[in-house]
Amino acid sequence: METAEQHSDPAVSAALELRTLNAVALSLTPGVGNVTYRQLIDACGDPAAVFQSAQHRPELIRKLPRCKSVLIEELRKAADLSAAREALRVAAKVGARPLLLGDSEYPELLTQLRDRPPLLWIKGSFEEADARAVAIVGSRSARDYGLRTARSIATDLALAGVTVVSGGARGVDTEAHEAALLAGGRTIAVLGCGIDVVYPDENEELFQRVALNGAVISDFPPGVEPEGRNFPSRNRIISGLCWATCVVEAGLSSGALITANYALEQGREVFAVPHMVDRANGQGCHRLIKDGAGMVESGADILEALKFSASVPAKHRRSATPIVPPTLSEAQSKIVACLDAEPRHLDQIALDCDMPSNEVLVNLYELEIKSVVRVLPGHLYLSNLEDR
């Protein structure tokens, strides 16, 4: 990471900016994936040298595997750095920046991957505490059991000073991020789209809070939409950031199993939560357990298996996030105070809060979007903040 003295020197700052521009430009070049990027760097020295070689010494590039003449032409086009400047402009507009492989902030566990990304787009920051990280993943359409279990495990880990990593998706991912934040812990969301794209839409505020208490990251450049083909790459980064991956709820075709497989390939631990044997949404977890994954019922099981101490070093300890987030309106805070872990009917909430039912309904909808309350059939509502 650059020092304050470096930034105060105009010449050094200009050199660092040019280094970043060249790295971004190389990563954006069509035909340059993670492996090809590294091959080009190994052959030429650095991104700027790659562009110079494409112009003046193409034979250095042509001899590399899968590096054909068409790639050399793409490198020559990318050398004007215009695409990189535009990507940086778009990222900066949403408060994001590139993090290069080799920067001190780049996560150590991720550097161990053979196909580690040469750069990440990041909102927020990585800290020393994130060296102890565990992924919690599962179904986007998880049942109440899976959601409750994800919250419980994430809370246990966050309270022990372990960073919770997930994919920012609906369902289990959202519950894991929310629980870590409510416990006063750090969390990292890995996106399957550009850093400037909010997906799913309802998690925009969540991502803002994650960036303030951890990081939102992507290895896709700004502007990339959340297409299905992107998510295996995102899942590889989720597992690569972590000592272990815990699958909370997953069917046999769930993307969470892809994350678990990546974790095994990377030499990391895999855990799974048991479910009722006749439920299809838990069969993926049972398959993992049969294949040797550690069975867990709580975050304490993971902490014990990884030999992670539950104590948090003083320099990483933070005060817990308030139970009622400060972004709630006065009416929403009043409604939350009337709820607990037991389902309560809309009419009863309106009566307890002395508010018209239609006003309560509008606020409950907004609280649901913020993952503060959960909705059950029959106009029943309960708090997501139980046991905090």
Side-chain angles (χ1 to χ4, degrees):
M1 184 178 296
E2 298 83 15
T3 65
E5 289 77 8
Q6 288 175 322
H7 281 296
S8 65
D9 185 329
V12 173
S13 295
L16 291 172
E17 181 180 355
L18 185 58
R19 166 180 172 264
T20 299
L21 271 171
N22 280 292
V24 171
L26 183 57
S27 72
L28 294 175
T29 303
V32 177
N34 294 349
V35 174
T36 301
Y37 188 106
R38 190 176 72 249
Q39 290 174 341
L40 289 168
I41 295 300
D42 289 343
C44 302
D46 61 34
V50 172
F51 292 128
Q52 292 170 1
S53 296
Q55 187 66 39
H56 303 293
R57 299 185 64 191
E59 67 277 4
L60 286 179
I61 297 172
R62 193 173 287 113
K63 69 181 181 180
L64 298 175
R66 300 189 301 277
C67 291
K68 307 300 182 184
S69 297
V70 64
L71 176 60
I72 295 173
E73 288 305 313
E74 293 292 353
L75 288 168
R76 289 170 176 168
K77 294 176 186 176
D80 70 357
L81 306 182
S82 59
R85 288 190 175 90
E86 175 61 14
L88 289 168
R89 185 192 68 79
V90 173
K93 195 173 180 179
V94 296
R97 58 190 167 89
L99 177 63
L100 307 186
L101 179 65
D103 289 349
S104 60
E105 189 185 349
Y106 194 98
E108 172 63 28
L109 285 176
L110 207 55
T111 66
Q112 299 173 11
L113 304 189
R114 181 187 65 83
D115 54 350
R116 55 196 176 273
L119 68 82
L120 298 168
W121 297 92
I122 178 171
K123 288 193 288 187
S125 62
F126 287 107
E127 295 185 1
E128 184 182 345
D130 301 328
R132 296 201 322 166
V134 170
I136 298 178
V137 296
S139 173
R140 287 176 169 82
S141 56
R143 307 287 182 86
D144 184 62
Y145 169 77
L147 298 177
R148 285 189 289 109
T149 305
R151 289 199 301 275
S152 175
I153 293 175
T155 299
D156 290 343
L157 295 175
L159 290 175
V162 175
T163 297
V164 174
V165 179
S166 199
R170 297 181 179 96
V172 166
D173 292 14
T174 292
E175 296 295 326
H177 293 306
E178 289 281 8
L181 292 171
L182 287 169
R186 287 182 57 80
T187 185
I188 296 168
V190 185
L191 306 183
C193 55
I195 197 72
D196 59 323
V197 179
V198 178
Y199 179 79
D201 293 344
E202 64 267 23
N203 277 359
E204 181 172 10
E205 187 200 33
L206 170 62
F207 293 151
Q208 292 172 356
R209 287 185 283 128
V210 169
L212 292 173
N213 299 277
V216 178
I217 68 171
S218 174
D219 69 332
F220 296 101
V224 172
E225 294 297 325
E227 299 177 2
R229 62 184 178 181
N230 297 348
F231 290 94
S233 174
R234 172 267 236 153
N235 294 346
R236 169 181 56 84
I237 293 177
I238 291 175
S239 58
L241 287 167
C242 300
W243 287 89
T245 291
C246 177
V247 181
V248 173
E249 180 173 322
L252 291 174
S253 61
S254 172
L257 299 188
I258 297 176
T259 310
N261 288 333
Y262 276 129
L264 292 173
E265 291 175 6
Q266 294 159 355
R268 312 292 167 79
E269 297 290 334
V270 173
F271 301 100
V273 173
H275 285 247
M276 295 178 66
V277 295
D278 61 342
R279 296 292 174 88
N281 57 311
Q283 289 179 359
C285 292
H286 291 164
R287 172 72 61 81
L288 289 173
I289 293 170
K290 287 179 181 179
D291 290 344
M295 187 186 78
V296 298
E297 299 172 323
S298 68
D301 295 330
I302 298 174
L303 293 170
E304 180 179 1
L306 296 178
K307 296 181 171 56
F308 279 174
S309 167
S311 62
V312 185
K315 64 179 178 179
H316 298 318
R317 192 177 296 124
R318 303 193 301 114
S319 59
T321 303
I323 294 300
V324 179
T327 52
L328 298 187
S329 68
E330 182 178 350
Q332 290 169 356
S333 298
K334 188 175 182 180
I335 290 170
V336 169
C338 292
L339 296 173
D340 53 31
E342 294 299 320
R344 186 161 299 189
H345 192 272
L346 169 65
D347 293 340
Q348 185 61 50
I349 299 171
L351 183 63
D352 291 345
C353 295
D354 191 24
M355 295 169 58
S357 294
N358 60 341
E359 182 180 346
V360 172
L361 189 59
V362 169
N363 282 287
L364 283 168
Y365 174 73
E366 294 180 1
L367 289 168
E368 181 191 3
I369 291 175
K370 296 176 180 179
S371 296
V372 176
V373 302
R374 189 159 69 260
V375 184
L376 301 178
H379 288 296
L380 294 174
Y381 299 83
L382 69 164
S383 173
N384 268 344
L385 309 180
E386 68 269 24
D387 301 326
R388 298 288 190 269

